Amino acid sequence: MKLSKVFIYNNDRPESIEAADKFRKSVEADGIVVCHDCKDADLLVCVGGDGAFLRFVQSCNFPSQPIIGINTGHLGFFQEFTADRIGRFEEIIGTDRFTIQEIRPVCATVHHNLGVDQFLGLNEVLFRGPYSHLTHFTVSIEDTVIQEFSGDGMLVSTSAGSTAYNYSLGGALAAPELDALQLTPIAPMNTNAYRCFRSSIVYPSSMKLTLTPNNRTSRDSIEVVNDGLTSSFRNVNKIEITQSDVTINIIRLETYNYWEKLNSKLL
């Protein structure tokens, strides 16, 4: 891979700042220009953990250029390099000793009385009502009603995001190569009045999921949280969830093994 310009993003942790400075000096010594705008770069570099990676992708509006992560966080599922390997970066990238992993975000389209808003999540998109109220949704897949849901909310995750909040909710772990989305309930009600599914549903990413608030919930405020970014709406008519057409390209080294990473970090 021939590089001429890179963009470097880092969070504000001291170890991230130090690693970003080390990386900047390394690439500049090789004659590579460090850009101030991600749109101008051939390669994007994110220094931090998975949270930094998500913020970076959102702030750059889901860029098409390849992204490589340098992990200074904890889990680092998206990150591929460690700070102590920065000196080998040019050798590995310059000789094409890597592959590109393509990840397509989940897309939520919110229809409300004031218009339509759209949100992308690399990991997930979450839907919930006010903290003190139950949330009531009619859940449909491909226009077939499968559930009248009552609970704290619903989460839709990508396969890549299955190790994040989805996993904490008891959802299934899914290999990133699995072209699917996963619907996971948040604190579902199970009483004589309400009967809701308690496990996640994994379904083909080509299918459309629709959440329709009932009259009581549609009058409440509904929060949409995509990768930690929160928006709030009233008078929501419906929410349509699909797989986005956008593709995020993540650089993976030759030694990348998802199952080894999963075993070392979660299992």
Side-chain angles (χ1 to χ4, degrees), residues 147 169 184-185 188-190 196-200:
Q147 176 83 96
L169 293 172
T184 303
M189 290 290 292
N190 272 282
C196 305
F197 64 91
R198 301 182 65 85
S199 63
S200 58

Side-chain angles (χ1 to χ4, degrees), residues 56-82:
F56 168 61
V57 168
Q58 292 279 351
S59 67
C60 286
N61 196 27
F62 291 81
S64 59
Q65 303 102 308
I67 307 171
I68 188 161
I70 299 175
N71 188 32
T72 57
H74 298 289
L75 291 178
F77 276 101
F78 291 118
Q79 314 295 63
E80 193 64 9
F81 257 81
T82 51

Side-chain angles (χ1 to χ4, degrees), residues 1-9 23 37-46 53 56-57 60 62-70 78-80 89 93 96 98-103 247-252:
M1 183 179 186
K2 182 66 174 177
L3 289 180
S4 60
K5 298 178 181 179
V6 301
F7 176 82
I8 305 171
Y9 172 92
F23 182 85
D37 190 328
C38 61
K39 296 176 183 177
D40 299 328
D42 307 315
L43 177 73
L44 308 177
V45 180
C46 177
F53 193 94
F56 168 61
V57 168
C60 286
F62 291 81
S64 59
Q65 303 102 308
I67 307 171
I68 188 161
I70 299 175
F78 291 118
Q79 314 295 63
E80 193 64 9
F89 171 81
I93 300 301
D96 291 337
F98 63 89
T99 59
I100 297 290
Q101 181 184 57
E102 297 182 348
I103 299 178
T247 300
I248 295 299
N249 300 294
I250 299 177
I251 287 181
R252 296 298 190 187

Side-chain angles (χ1 to χ4, degrees), residues 86-145:
I86 286 176
R88 297 191 59 206
F89 171 81
E90 182 63 22
E91 170 196 345
I92 292 171
I93 300 301
T95 54
D96 291 337
R97 291 160 53 190
F98 63 89
T99 59
I100 297 290
Q101 181 184 57
E102 297 182 348
I103 299 178
R104 294 177 64 184
V106 56
C107 174
T109 304
V110 182
H111 299 260
H112 52 93
N113 283 3
L114 298 179
V116 178
D117 286 271
Q118 197 169 80
F119 302 90
L120 298 184
L122 191 61
N123 262 356
E124 75 251 333
V125 184
L126 178 154
F127 312 94
R128 66 188 177 203
Y131 287 109
S132 60
H133 293 189
L134 281 177
T135 301
H136 305 273
F137 289 122
T138 299
V139 183
S140 305
I141 295 180
E142 291 292 278
D143 299 322
T144 298
V145 174

Side-chain angles (χ1 to χ4, degrees), residues 4 46 54 56 101 155-156 161 168 191 205 254 256 264 267:
S4 60
C46 177
L54 294 175
F56 168 61
Q101 181 184 57
L155 180 89
V156 181
S168 299
T191 66
S205 63
E254 290 179 323
Y256 172 74
S264 66
L267 304 181

